[in-house]
Amino acid sequence: MSARLGVVTIVHGRHDHLRGQLAGLRRQTRRPDVLVVVAMDDDEVSGVVDDAAPPGWDVRHASIDRMQGRLPLAAARNLGVATALAAGAEHLVLLDVDCVPSDGLVARYGELLGSLDPSAGPTLLCGDVAYERDPDEGPQPPRHHPARPELGAQEVRVVDDVTLFWSLSFAVTAADLAALGGFDEGYVGYGAEDTDVGQRLARAGGRLLFVGGAGAVHQWHPSPSPPVQHVEDIVLNANRFAQVWGWWPMTGWLEQFRDLGLVAREPDGRWVTLA
């Protein structure tokens, strides 16, 4: 008998994207045993889910307020995982709300999680995510990030660079995520919380695997480059990460922010936002 599998997503706004994800989950060749939706400072999410989730599914709602005025992505993921575990989940799939899963994503992740050798150490599985183009560019197929190649349906690739762990679509056993300590809730808002998990994976002697057959499409939304809307989060989280791990993540963005006059660097190396 296959392990009970939970899908977890965290949401603030983007209700149409949530509907798109739920439509993708309805098409799964293997439905999740439990679906957990965590609303971050958004009272409307539960109504969207109740309207769009398939009847008869085990759907669990959770909610979390802002922390320090910022959206608590790490804490929200931990809350979603805890809710799924309380519902009996042993395998976990975490999807960002922007991601619409391919029809076989849940089945493929579940199959691979069930085949893992626990003696190999903690393992994180990441399926491919292709990005929808700006509709103003005209009809074009979603693009694949050059660092995340599209794999064959049965292909599995070991990835040495753990900084390529991105939390927008991944799967893990409950035991392995517990061994890694979940997400560090000291990261509040956007940025570095998944890079931190990748570092703990490496420290634990674990493995990052890119897997074929578990693809998703990231629904388009406007996003400045660099992401100036997240400048405060990125600065605070980069400082925390450097304090823990001794090197700076997101340096490309930080340097672009500096060139825009949004941030500066202190003599001790820390980054600060400018008024």
Side-chain angles (χ1 to χ4, degrees):
M1 181 177 178
S2 59
R4 188 166 166 84
L5 184 148
V7 171
V8 175
T9 190
I10 62 175
V11 187
H12 172 81
R14 299 194 180 163
H15 297 162
D16 285 341
H17 286 180
L18 176 58
R19 293 184 183 97
Q21 182 179 97
L22 292 169
L25 289 172
R26 287 198 301 269
R27 294 190 294 268
Q28 292 301 296
T29 57
R30 175 193 171 181
R31 67 185 244 182
D33 298 294
V34 58
L35 170 64
V36 179
V37 182
V38 181
M40 299 181 291
D41 191 33
D42 188 338
D43 294 336
E44 298 180 17
V45 167
S46 59
V48 173
V49 175
D50 289 343
D51 287 343
W57 279 33
D58 184 354
V59 178
R60 309 292 175 104
H61 296 281
S63 63
I64 190 169
D65 293 331
R66 290 179 185 263
M67 298 171 61
Q68 306 159 30
R70 296 147 64 202
L71 293 176
L73 306 185
R77 290 194 183 101
N78 286 344
L79 175 59
V81 166
T83 304
L85 297 183
E90 302 166 81
H91 291 170
L92 300 162
V93 173
L94 278 77
L95 294 173
D96 276 5
V97 68
D98 300 326
C99 291
V100 176
S102 60
D103 295 358
L105 178 143
V106 170
R108 177 63 168 156
Y109 273 148
E111 168 199 354
L112 291 170
L113 290 173
S115 69
L116 293 177
D117 178 2
S119 68
T123 302
L124 297 174
L125 307 176
C126 289
D128 178 57
V129 177
Y131 293 77
E132 284 184 345
R133 312 280 186 131
D134 183 338
D136 291 341
E137 297 178 2
Q140 296 185 62
R143 62 177 177 83
H144 293 270
H145 194 285
R148 306 290 294 269
E150 185 177 15
L151 302 181
Q154 297 301 314
E155 193 172 353
V156 176
R157 183 176 300 178
V158 178
V159 182
D160 294 327
D161 183 359
V162 293
T163 66
L164 293 176
F165 170 66
W166 301 338
S167 56
L168 74 173
S169 171
F170 77 98
V172 63
T173 67
D176 281 356
L177 189 59
L180 296 175
F183 285 85
D184 181 348
E185 297 183 12
Y187 296 95
V188 182
Y190 180 87
E193 80 283 355
D194 45 6
T195 311
D196 177 87
V197 170
Q199 293 303 295
R200 283 186 277 127
L201 179 72
R203 184 175 64 188
R207 298 177 302 161
L208 174 62
L209 303 180
F210 285 173
V211 302
V217 172
H218 184 280
Q219 300 169 89
W220 183 85
H221 58 79
S223 182
S225 181
V228 293
Q229 74 275 28
H230 297 303
V231 62
E232 181 180 358
D233 293 354
I234 288 170
V235 165
L236 292 171
N237 287 338
N239 285 334
R240 176 179 179 81
F241 184 97
Q243 184 178 27
V244 173
W245 297 105
W247 59 274
W248 294 90
M250 305 180 288
T251 52
W253 286 343
L254 290 166
E255 290 167 357
Q256 288 177 290
F257 293 154
R258 180 194 58 201
D259 294 343
L260 291 170
L262 299 174
V263 305
R265 203 157 193 187
E266 298 283 84
D268 63 3
R270 289 183 306 111
W271 293 87
V272 293
T273 54
L274 300 175

